[in-house]
């Protein structure tokens, strides 16, 4: 293959390798083999975890670091990105599962997301992107709402902060005196509805720490939240993406008048990936695990679709597909444990890229 320009555009390998580091390793190896090849790097994300880093790298956005409430109501340092008057908030920064000590979606909160929104608006934001992935919560965004000024009251008239197991106690909602002074766009990497067998609780709550007994409680509370929303003219029963981030998809629409958009499609537009693809003779992508779910709104398959018939290869730690629709290279050492492979992800990737490039030159 006569290479002149290579585009490196991966997602992260969750828990072991950032998309940016993937780009660095691939570029280093390409330059070793042919220093004259032009390399374009574009670390990507699908609107879930890693999106903040993707935006900061691709758009040269400024990171703002401050103390905000985490999912356990503790003040911790978290970041958001700003470019001109556009802000990018990755909700996992404050209520992400990885950063949550007490993992229990019955009691965790999204209040830190609301605090970040207020801070961003005070910093001059006129448009805010929320990336709805990786949450440890199931509060339908009520914590976030409280963070921007909403108040919740139970039947006794007592103010309280609803969490996953107390949404059904909402009797009255007091709206803030001033509306949010920014356009809000919520980016989803899933299509789950708010409640039911394909809803936020039954699909995702167990991985957030819920017990089997908790699932019905959490789902019933999301149904109760939807009944509350109906009083105000909203019904999320069949809205795709409403169940994202423990119902934060629905909460973003209800409390912030947000638009829900596909995370990967919006990221592609923001980084102008079509333009980068048009320059390349070869596109290199990758993510930690490729399986059937990867076909639905994830980076590798979405990128391959845009690349059409261009040369394309994807590297991954594990490939769970029965048949490969394009060239997929699994980097894990078959003789090593998963823990060892995770520890050696960088070396495994480097060796796999070397081997691949040797097959080209």
């Amino acid at each position: 293959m006569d290479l002149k320009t290579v585009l490196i555009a991966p997602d992260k390998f969750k828990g072991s390798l950032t998309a940016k580091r993937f780009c660095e390793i691939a570029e280093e190896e390409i330059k070793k083999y042919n220093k004259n090849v032009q390399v374009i790097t574009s670390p990507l994300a699908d609107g879930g975890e890693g999106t903040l880093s993707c935006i900061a790298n691709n758009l040269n956005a400024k990171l703002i670091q401050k103390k905000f409430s985490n999912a356990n109501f503790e003040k911790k340092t978290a970041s958001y990105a700003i470019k001109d008057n556009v802000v990018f908030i990755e909700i996992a920064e404050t209520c992400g599962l990885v950063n949550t000590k007490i993992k229990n979606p019955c009691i965790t909160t999204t209040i830190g997301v609301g605090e970040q929104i207020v801070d961003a608006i005070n910093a001059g934001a006129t448009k805010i992107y929320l990336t709805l992935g990786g949450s440890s919560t199931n509060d339908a965004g009520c914590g976030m709402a409280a963070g921007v000024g909403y108040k919740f009251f139970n039947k006794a008239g007592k103010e309280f902060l609803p969490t996953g197991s107390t949404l059904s106690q909402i009797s009255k909602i007091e709206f803030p005196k001033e509306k949010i002074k920014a356009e809000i766009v919520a980016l989803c990497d899933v299509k789950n509805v708010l409640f039911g067998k394909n809803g936020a609780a039954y699909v995702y709550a167990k991985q957030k720490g819920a017990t089997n007994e908790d699932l019905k409680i959490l789902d019933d509370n999301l149904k109760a939240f939807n009944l509350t929303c109906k009083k105000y003219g909203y019904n999320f029963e069949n809205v795709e993406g409403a169940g994202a981030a423990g119902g934060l998809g629905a909460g973003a629409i209800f409390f912030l008048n947000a638009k829900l958009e596909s995370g990967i499609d919006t990221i592609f537009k923001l980084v102008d990936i079509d333009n980068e693809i048009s320059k390349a003779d070869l596109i290199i992508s990758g993510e930690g695990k490729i399986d059937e779910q990867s076909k639905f709104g994830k980076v590798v398959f979405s990128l391959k679709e845009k690349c059409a018939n261009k040369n394309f290869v994807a590297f991954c730690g594990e490939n769970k597909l029965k048949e490969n629709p394009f060239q997929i290279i699994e980097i894990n050492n078959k003789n090593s444990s998963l823990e060892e492979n995770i520890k050696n992800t960088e070396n495994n990737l480097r060796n796999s890229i070397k081997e691949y490039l040797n097959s080209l030159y």
Side-chain angles (χ1 to χ4, degrees), residues 122-341:
N122 290 339
T126 55
K127 186 171 187 176
I128 298 174
Y129 287 93
L130 296 178
T131 70
L132 308 184
S135 84
S136 63
T137 56
N138 213 83
D139 70 353
C142 287
M144 172 198 69
V148 300
Y150 283 83
K151 292 182 179 180
F152 299 88
F153 300 87
N154 61 20
K155 287 181 179 178
K158 184 178 179 181
E159 184 179 351
F160 77 111
L161 179 59
T163 57
S165 64
T166 61
L167 293 171
S168 60
Q169 295 176 26
I170 300 171
S171 178
K172 176 187 171 186
I173 300 175
E174 185 177 298
F175 286 61
K177 292 179 181 178
E178 291 188 16
K179 290 185 177 181
I180 298 294
K181 297 177 181 177
E183 177 188 356
I184 310 289
V185 179
L187 304 184
C188 295
D189 60 351
V190 299
K191 293 185 178 181
N192 299 86
V193 292
L194 184 60
F195 56 87
K197 65 178 182 179
N198 295 316
Y202 279 112
V203 176
Y204 298 108
K206 279 197 80 170
Q207 70 191 46
K208 301 177 183 185
T211 65
N212 288 330
E213 292 74 23
D214 290 333
L215 297 182
K216 186 176 186 309
I217 294 170
L218 291 167
D219 190 64
D220 285 346
N221 273 273
L222 290 172
K223 289 178 184 175
F225 174 74
N226 192 58
L227 289 175
T228 300
C229 293
K230 280 185 173 182
K231 296 176 184 177
Y232 296 90
Y234 291 82
N235 183 2
F236 297 105
E237 186 170 356
N238 298 308
V239 177
E240 287 189 349
L248 188 51
I253 296 171
F254 181 66
F255 297 115
L256 306 176
N257 195 32
K259 290 189 300 181
L260 287 188
E261 291 186 359
S262 159
I264 191 63
D265 290 343
T266 303
I267 295 298
F268 280 165
K269 288 175 189 173
L270 289 170
V271 304
D272 196 10
I273 201 68
D274 287 333
N275 181 49
E276 306 291 35
I277 291 169
S278 70
K279 303 172 188 174
D281 308 303
L282 169 67
I283 296 90
I284 296 175
S285 189
E287 60 185 304
K289 182 168 72 173
I290 293 178
D291 56 20
E292 289 299 320
Q293 289 299 312
S294 303
K295 298 177 181 179
F296 305 101
K298 301 299 181 182
V299 167
V300 169
F301 273 79
S302 299
L303 184 64
K304 175 62 178 78
E305 189 175 333
K306 281 191 166 291
C307 292
N309 295 322
K310 290 211 167 196
N311 296 308
F312 183 94
V313 61
F315 294 86
C316 65
E318 291 183 291
N319 178 12
K320 297 291 188 180
L321 296 177
K322 292 180 181 178
E323 295 181 3
N324 293 341
F326 48 84
Q327 188 170 13
I328 298 173
I329 298 174
E330 194 174 67
I331 70 169
N332 280 357
N333 187 328
K334 299 292 185 184
N335 298 317
S336 299
S337 67
L338 178 60
E339 291 74 18
E340 289 175 313
N341 276 310

